[in-house]
Amino acid sequence: MSKSKSLAAVAGVGISLAFAGSAAAQGTPSGQPTPQTRQDARETKELERGGAGAGQDASEGQSLKIPQPTAPRQPSPTTAPPAPAEGAAPAGQTTPQTRQDARETKDQERSPGASKDATEGQTLRPPQPTAPPQADPKNSKTFLPFVYGPLEQSGMKAASREGSPTTYLLSATPATTQWGWFDNAEQPVLRIRSGDTVVMETMMHSHNQLVPGITIEQVKKTRTDYPGRGPHSLTGPVYVEGAEPGDVLRVRINKIVPRAYGMNFNIPGLFGQFPKEFPEGQIKFFYLDLEKMQTEFAPGITIPLKPFPGTVAVARAEPGRYSSVPPGRFAGNLDIRELSEGASLYVPVFVKGALLWSGDSHAVQGNGEVNLTALETAYKELNLTIEVLKGQRLEWPRIETQTDWITVGYDEDLDKALDLLKAETTKFLIEQRNVPSERAEQAMLDGWNCPISEVVNIVKGTYCMISKAADAPRPAPLPTQDTDEAFVTVARDARLGKAMDGASMAMINTIVEKKGLSRLDAYGLLSMTMDCRIAPHREGDKAVHCMVPKNLWTK
C-alpha cells in the first residue's frame, strides 16, 4: 500500500500516540494473571529463550511476514489509553493468534526454502485490514495532529543558478520514510533528474523510536512484536528520471553530518554473531563530538568516528515488500565502511526510475559488525549526487573511493560469498586491465586486501579493495600476533564462517583478559572497531585475521 493511500485511510482520525496502550479485557482486572495468561507467558518465554530455534542463526532479523494485529502496547506515562476492543487481551499478553504468528515465523526461519536465494529475498505477507483506532481530536493526549502527505516537490528545491543541476531538500518524516522494508510499488517521495543532488535526513531505527532513554527490553519488542520487517528507518524512495532496467546508478556521497548522539546494543539471545554465547542484553548511548570526530566509549577509551550509510538501496525487480535486513544485487544493507564521504556506489537498476533509499546510518563500524550493531545514529545531512549511467551493466554493486575500487561478494554462506568475491574481482581486473583470466586471478592474489564487512545480516558480506595506482606496492602480510599498533587474533578452518567465529571470539576474550572489560562491553566495542580480514586464498583452509587498534585506549 502506498503512503498516500495509507495516510488517506486515517485522515480525519489523527495519529494515536506511538505507544498507546489498552485497558484489560472485560472481566479480568488489570495486572491479575489467569490460567490462560500464565500459559501464554510460558509459551512466549519459550520463544524468546530460543525454544523452537530462536536465536539459532546469528543474523540481524529473519522472519519475513507481517503479523496479524496483536494486543495494543503498554501506554507511555503521558498517554491516555484508548478503550479496548470487545474481547481484547490485556496489554502485554499473547493471544492464540499471536502464538500462531510466532510459530509460523519460526517455521519460515527453519524451512529450507526460506533463505534459498540470497539476492531475491521473500515477500512479506500483506497486513490484514483493521479498524483505525478511535481518537478524540479534542484530547491532545490521544490525538496528535498530522499534515497528511505527500509533500509538495516545488517546496523541496533549494535555490540554484539557472541551468545548473537542482539540489533538493528531503526531510525525514512519516510521509517520506518506511520502517524496515523495500517495495518497488512504493510511491516516490521525490523525483529528480540525473546529475541532481539530494540533501536528505535520516531517522534512528524503528521510525525514530530508538533514541537515548529507550531500554533494551523496549528495543527487543520493536523486533519481536513486528517480525518480518527490519529495524531500519529508510528515507525515500527517490525516483530518478531516465533510469531504466539495465542501467547503472552512480550515487556519490558528498557530505555526511550525523546527529550528536548514537547507540550500540546487543539484543539478548536473538541476533548478532554469538546469540547463544550472549543471552544478556545491553544498550549504550554515546555523545558524538563532531568537532573532534570521536566518541568516548568508556573512561580512557576513545573511538574515532567515520560516518557512512549502512544502507543505500535501489528497488528490487521482484514485486512485493521485502525486509530491509538482507543485502543483495540491489545493494541495500551492505555495511561497507569505505562507503563514506567522497566515495561513490555503483548499483544496477532493476525498475524504471531506480527508486533510491537510504537509512541504517552509522557513525563508525567495525568489520564484522559482530554484536549486530555499529555506532547507530541518524543524519542531519546525507548529501548525495545521483547520476544515471547508460551502456554500463553490472551484476553486483561496486564502490569507488579516492584510492581504490571495491568489489563485493554476498551470500548466506560465507564460503559462497568468498567464491563470488573472487569471481567479481577477477572479472573487474579483466575489464580494467584487459588481461586474460589467469593474469587477473594472479593480480587479485598479489594485491589481496579483502575484509569481511558483516556476518549478522542473514546474507553475509565480503569485499576486496583494489588499488587504483598501477604501481601500488603489494599489501603487507597480515599480522599473526600482537603488534605495537594492534591486538591480533587468527583462526583457520576449512569453513570461512568458522574461521571468522574463532578469530572474533578469541578477540573478545583477549580484550576481556588484557583490558579488563566486561564481555558485553568487549562485544560492543569490537562491533564498532574490529577489523577482520581474509588471508589470500587459493585453496585449502581459510584464515581470518582480526585486529583492534591499541590507540583506542588513551590511558
Side-chain angles (χ1 to χ4, degrees):
M1 182 184 293
S2 68
K3 276 186 293 293
S4 58
K5 290 181 181 178
S6 61
L7 292 172
V10 293
V13 176
I15 295 182
S16 297
L17 293 178
F19 289 100
S22 172
Q26 184 174 358
T28 304
S30 175
Q32 180 175 331
T34 67
Q36 180 60 50
T37 60
R38 287 194 292 270
Q39 175 65 21
D40 291 347
R42 284 194 292 271
E43 294 183 13
T44 300
K45 288 294 182 185
E46 280 300 310
L47 284 173
E48 293 180 353
R49 273 196 209 101
Q56 183 174 342
D57 189 335
S59 63
E60 186 171 334
Q62 295 182 339
S63 46
L64 299 173
K65 174 176 71 69
I66 291 179
Q68 302 298 312
T70 60
R73 293 163 291 201
Q74 294 291 338
S76 66
T78 59
T79 304
E86 182 72 23
Q93 295 177 7
T94 59
T95 67
Q97 179 61 57
T98 60
R99 293 196 297 277
Q100 177 64 24
D101 289 341
R103 293 189 203 101
E104 291 177 5
T105 297
K106 292 298 176 186
D107 289 342
Q108 276 193 350
E109 293 176 355
R110 286 198 300 272
S111 64
S115 56
K116 186 175 182 180
D117 190 331
T119 67
E120 292 183 5
Q122 294 172 7
T123 52
L124 306 174
R125 191 179 73 190
Q128 300 301 309
T130 58
Q134 296 302 309
D136 180 3
K138 297 180 180 179
N139 185 349
S140 62
K141 293 185 177 181
T142 62
F143 181 84
L144 292 180
F146 183 72
V147 178
Y148 293 92
L151 302 177
E152 178 58 46
Q153 175 151 333
S154 61
M156 300 162 73
K157 283 186 179 181
S160 60
R161 290 193 299 267
E162 186 175 352
S164 62
T166 303
T167 296
Y168 290 94
L169 309 176
L170 179 55
S171 298
T173 76
T176 61
T177 57
Q178 296 91 55
W179 171 6
W181 47 261
F182 300 115
D183 188 342
N184 66 13
E186 184 68 22
Q187 291 299 306
V189 300
L190 176 65
R191 289 176 177 264
I192 68 170
R193 294 179 179 178
S194 178
D196 287 345
T197 294
V198 178
V199 179
M200 72 165 61
E201 295 175 331
T202 63
M203 288 182 176
M204 300 294 287
H205 287 337
S206 305
H207 259 156
N208 226 34
Q209 295 184 82
L210 270 61
V211 294
I214 193 169
T215 67
I216 191 61
E217 291 77 15
Q218 290 170 322
V219 173
K220 181 179 178 181
K221 285 180 68 64
T222 66
R223 303 303 308 279
T224 58
D225 287 10
Y226 303 96
R229 68 176 72 217
H232 315 112
S233 304
L234 302 162
T235 304
V238 175
Y239 185 101
V240 187
E241 300 287 353
E244 300 283 349
D247 293 339
V248 170
L249 204 66
R250 180 179 187 260
V251 183
R252 175 179 168 80
I253 300 178
N254 303 314
K255 184 179 180 182
I256 299 175
V257 182
R259 288 186 185 176
Y261 60 83
M263 66 180 65
N264 175 270
F265 53 85
N266 175 59
I267 297 181
L270 290 182
F271 309 120
Q273 187 177 4
F274 301 113
K276 293 181 180 179
E277 291 81 353
F278 289 89
E280 313 90 351
Q282 176 170 283
I283 186 167
K284 294 175 77 79
F285 305 97
F286 304 95
Y287 168 66
L288 308 184
D289 187 333
L290 300 181
E291 290 187 4
K292 296 181 179 179
M293 288 302 289
Q294 64 185 34
T295 191
E296 187 177 75
F297 178 81
I301 304 176
T302 300
I303 303 174
L305 303 181
K306 187 181 179 182
F308 75 96
T311 296
V312 178
V314 297
R316 301 168 181 251
E318 305 83 14
R321 288 187 174 182
Y322 295 83
S323 167
S324 63
V325 171
R329 298 179 192 272
F330 56 94
N333 195 18
L334 293 175
D335 282 335
I336 295 179
R337 64 185 188 177
E338 276 71 28
L339 186 59
S340 55
E341 281 188 1
S344 294
L345 172 69
Y346 296 79
V347 59
V349 174
F350 298 99
V351 302
K352 187 178 179 66
L355 298 183
L356 181 76
W357 288 268
S358 185
D360 189 25
S361 307
H362 294 164
V364 68
Q365 179 200 291
N367 279 328
E369 200 184 21
V370 293
N371 85 335
L372 175 69
T373 54
L375 181 43
E376 309 289 332
T377 186
Y379 293 154
K380 295 188 288 185
E381 178 178 353
L382 177 60
N383 189 308
L384 308 173
T385 298
I386 302 162
E387 299 176 69
V388 178
L389 304 181
K390 298 288 186 180
Q392 298 187 25
R393 286 188 172 271
L394 286 178
E395 289 295 317
W396 282 86
R398 290 176 182 168
I399 295 170
E400 181 184 11
T401 71
Q402 292 182 347
T403 58
D404 298 294
W405 283 98
I406 294 175
T407 53
V408 305
Y410 280 76
D411 194 274
E412 293 188 30
D413 184 321
L414 209 51
D415 291 302
K416 292 179 180 179
L418 178 59
D419 290 341
L420 178 58
L421 175 65
K422 291 179 180 179
E424 281 292 303
T425 305
T426 302
K427 178 182 176 182
F428 173 81
L429 291 169
I430 291 171
E431 295 171 357
Q432 186 193 57
R433 302 183 184 180
N434 194 26
V435 296
S437 59
E438 296 80 6
R439 285 185 59 188
E441 184 176 350
Q442 188 58 51
M444 172 185 68
L445 294 171
D446 290 344
W448 187 271
N449 183 11
C450 304
I452 293 174
S453 56
E454 54 78 19
V455 291
V456 294
N457 296 343
I458 305 175
V459 176
K460 302 170 180 66
T462 62
Y463 63 102
C464 279
M465 294 180 283
I466 306 159
S467 177
K468 289 181 175 180
D471 57 349
R474 180 179 295 196
L478 294 170
T480 57
Q481 58 186 7
D482 287 0
T483 68
D484 291 341
E485 293 77 29
F487 298 106
V488 178
T489 56
V490 184
R492 293 175 174 82
D493 196 274
R495 299 296 304 273
L496 182 59
K498 288 187 176 295
M500 176 63 180
D501 287 348
S504 298
M505 184 55 74
M507 184 60 79
I508 293 170
N509 293 333
T510 293
I511 298 303
V512 170
E513 294 166 7
K514 294 186 176 181
K515 304 307 293 186
L517 268 66
S518 71
R519 282 173 52 81
L520 276 173
D521 276 352
Y523 198 25
L525 180 65
L526 301 191
S527 198
M528 294 185 280
T529 62
M530 185 166 63
D531 183 7
C532 292
R533 296 177 181 251
I534 309 165
H537 179 263
R538 191 187 295 272
E539 59 185 15
D541 282 356
K542 291 126 182 168
V544 173
H545 300 239
C546 290
M547 294 149 281
V548 172
K550 290 182 176 179
N551 62 9
L552 297 177
W553 284 266
T554 58
K555 293 182 182 178

